[in-house]
Amino acid sequence: MDRRDFIRYGSMAVGAALVARVSRAEAQEAAAAAPPTVSRPPSRTPIVAPGGQLAVLTPNGSTLPWRVVGGVKVGHLVAEPVDHEFAPGLRAECWGYNGSTPGPTIEAVEGDRLRIYVSNRLPEPTSVHWHGIVLPNGMDGVAGLNQPPIPSGETFVYEFTARYPGTFMYHPHFDEMTQIALGMTGMIIVHPRRPRGPRVDRDFSLMTHEFRLNVGARRPDPNEMKDFNVLTFNSKAFPGTAPLVVGRGERVRIRLGNLSPMDHHPVHLHGLSFKVTATDGGYIPETAQQSETTVLVPVGSTRVIEFVPEESGDWAMHCHMTHHVMTQMGHGLPPLVGADTRRLDRRMSRVMPQYMTMGTNGMGNMGEMEMPIPPNSLPMRGAPGPFSYIDMGGMFTILKVRDNPDRTDPASWYTHPAGTVAGPADPSRMRADGVTAPAAPPARGPAGHGGHGSHR
Ligand SMILES: [Cu+2]
């Protein structure tokens, strides 16, 4: 059953309308079962490369461990199905590496000799392509072109030198459409032997991705070409995304990769501007670095950004495609804004006393309606925030800028200094400023169907 079928099923008699039967008991039950809003990020990392370069943090992820044998860094990737949680309440069988999607971040230093074993526990062959790495042709991982595919149950070995520093990726090059769509991606970070540019205090890695997961389905649909409904950072949809906790005045680097099947992601950060310092092709000279607040990360590319936040707070970081901050039931619905549904509601209430058509005043409050949803599905979007419901989900996370980042509980909200939060206008101040409020919008529909907060 996909979400449209669910909507149809829920509103058989009314065709296009979106139906919710909301009762206080149901809402309270759902709220009691609701998981915590944020998951915990990893703690601060050690120095791993010359010049005091810090290890990269992979929120919601891990780093591939090395064993050094005769001066060679030896690692092991296991390609396998993984039981993956996109966000509390939404699980699926994905494919990944070493028990996760994305796979562990591969972190090395310029000049390192790497030997990486790849065991295939998938039901079909696979291969690994080291995206952006300059290496001998037979190590490039394109099945058929550079090597035979790795049969199910077998282990191949790749060996190459990380010749150039940079931010790269890895993924299969056998049945790419299926294997990448099911989650087989990962980042490769090669630190320079001599640090470039100012030293950073935090270094994060985020892989953007998109999945088609029909409500009730066990696995994402790898055959989907256009209509994705679970949008992710490191394969997590908000509120499953761990926040990035940083210090005010610290220099922060975020490495973004995109191995989505079909979509580029314009990733936007609030409250600051950043410089794009590198791509998977190499470093951008300082004189050519542009100041931006949104960076487009095309499919098959990485973009590295750096910034120094000057304002503390909880700042949104998200893909700016509005349908990419939605989840399973967020799009593909009939448009209802401005529809007059009074007759429909009167008729429906005869057979279904709690019936209410939603969406006629906009969709902003849909996520918090706590309407009954099918098992293993996400509500339309979002999670509770410090002021009200945050109506974004999907490819959304929070940059938490604090004065004491290492003593900050990542689950805590920013405490705003008095007088620094937008609120209702004071009528006398409005008069003094010569501002007259326009008439309220014309009332439509019976009481209880109106604006924000009136639905319970
Ligand atoms: Cu996007």
Side-chain angles (χ1 to χ4, degrees):
M1 183 164 80
D2 70 12
R3 67 175 185 281
R4 280 172 206 156
D5 293 336
F6 168 69
I7 299 302
R8 280 192 208 110
Y9 172 75
S11 58
M12 282 176 293
V14 297
L18 174 61
V19 174
R21 293 158 65 200
V22 183
S23 79
R24 189 164 292 274
E26 279 166 341
Q28 282 167 348
E29 203 175 299
T37 305
V38 291
S39 42
R40 300 189 73 85
S43 57
R44 192 133 199 194
T45 53
I47 292 168
V48 291
Q53 297 177 83
L54 297 172
V56 173
L57 280 168
T58 305
N60 301 110
S62 66
T63 303
L64 185 72
W66 297 119
R67 172 189 303 190
V68 181
V69 181
V72 177
K73 284 183 174 166
V74 178
H76 190 183
L77 290 174
V78 180
E80 60 188 353
V82 297
D83 175 23
H84 179 68
E85 184 184 75
F86 286 103
L90 185 65
R91 303 192 80 90
E93 184 187 303
C94 294
W95 287 4
Y97 299 95
N98 301 17
S100 72
T101 169
T105 298
I106 294 175
E107 192 170 12
V109 179
E110 176 185 1
D112 278 352
R113 185 73 177 169
L114 307 180
R115 186 180 302 140
I116 303 176
Y117 290 88
V118 177
S119 296
N120 181 6
R121 294 191 62 238
L122 301 171
E124 69 165 350
T126 191
S127 72
V128 180
H129 166 58
W130 317 96
H131 180 119
I133 302 268
V134 178
L135 38 54
N137 185 252
M139 293 292 158
D140 199 46
V142 178
L145 180 66
N146 306 123
Q147 64 165 84
I150 308 170
S152 181
E154 294 203 12
T155 297
F156 276 33
V157 61
Y158 294 86
E159 184 163 333
F160 53 88
T161 299
R163 198 182 303 170
Y164 298 108
T167 302
F168 312 108
M169 302 185 286
Y170 64 94
H171 63 81
H173 244 307
F174 177 89
D175 194 9
E176 301 81 359
M177 188 184 89
T178 301
Q179 298 190 4
I180 292 177
L182 290 176
M184 298 186 71
T185 69
M187 297 286 281
I188 304 175
I189 286 142
V190 181
H191 293 279
R193 200 145 278 286
R194 283 176 42 213
R196 306 201 182 194
R199 184 181 183 279
V200 297
D201 303 294
R202 311 269 168 181
D203 199 337
F204 297 98
S205 171
L206 290 173
M207 176 70 82
T208 62
H209 205 20
E210 59 191 0
F211 298 83
R212 169 65 191 207
L213 184 59
N214 291 331
V215 170
R218 181 172 159 198
R219 293 187 193 85
D221 176 0
N223 300 331
E224 178 58 54
M225 183 173 165
K226 293 184 296 190
D227 197 4
F228 299 92
N229 59 6
V230 180
L231 281 291
T232 57
F233 283 126
N234 286 345
S235 298
K236 293 282 187 177
F238 183 76
T241 49
L244 312 186
V245 181
V246 306
R248 186 163 62 96
E250 286 184 341
R251 178 167 288 271
V252 180
R253 178 187 291 142
I254 302 178
R255 304 163 189 264
L256 294 155
N258 183 358
L259 286 174
S260 302
M262 297 298 290
D263 285 301
H264 315 306
H265 300 296
V267 176
H268 178 55
L269 276 92
H270 291 218
L272 52 86
S273 73
F274 54 78
K275 292 268 173 67
V276 183
T277 60
T279 74
D280 38 341
Y283 292 92
I284 299 171
E286 207 178 327
T287 49
Q289 293 173 5
Q290 298 217 86
S291 294
E292 302 277 6
T293 66
T294 300
V295 58
L296 182 65
V297 190
V299 173
S301 303
T302 72
R303 293 290 182 271
V304 180
I305 63 171
E306 289 184 22
F307 55 86
V308 180
E310 58 187 87
E311 281 284 338
S312 294
D314 293 331
W315 298 102
M317 173 177 179
H318 61 97
C319 179
H320 218 291
M321 302 254 192
T322 56
H323 280 254
H324 289 184
V325 287
M326 302 292 290
T327 47
Q328 283 170 307
M329 287 178 232
H331 59 203
L333 298 171
L336 283 171
V337 176
D340 186 346
T341 59
R342 279 174 292 187
R343 264 180 67 195
L344 170 69
D345 289 357
R346 272 199 304 276
R347 287 183 178 183
M348 281 302 293
S349 65
R350 284 179 220 145
V351 291
M352 218 172 154
Q354 291 164 311
Y355 174 81
M356 179 171 82
T357 306
M358 304 198 313
T360 55
N361 292 330
M363 305 281 273
N365 290 94
M366 296 287 231
E368 65 174 313
M369 293 296 277
E370 305 286 11
M371 56 182 179
I373 55 171
N376 199 39
S377 66
L378 283 185
M380 293 195 60
R381 44 187 169 177
F387 292 100
S388 65
Y389 203 83
I390 299 167
D391 73 358
M392 283 187 280
M395 198 181 289
F396 179 95
T397 189
I398 300 173
L399 182 75
K400 300 204 168 195
V401 181
R402 296 290 191 275
D403 284 335
N404 295 305
D406 295 325
R407 277 183 276 142
T408 296
D409 175 0
S412 66
W413 300 110
Y414 177 62
T415 308
H416 299 79
T420 65
V421 177
D426 170 26
S428 61
R429 180 65 183 269
M430 282 177 74
R431 272 194 301 280
D433 286 341
V435 177
T436 312
R444 268 188 318 99
H449 289 220
H452 294 213
S454 62
H455 54 267
R456 277 187 199 161

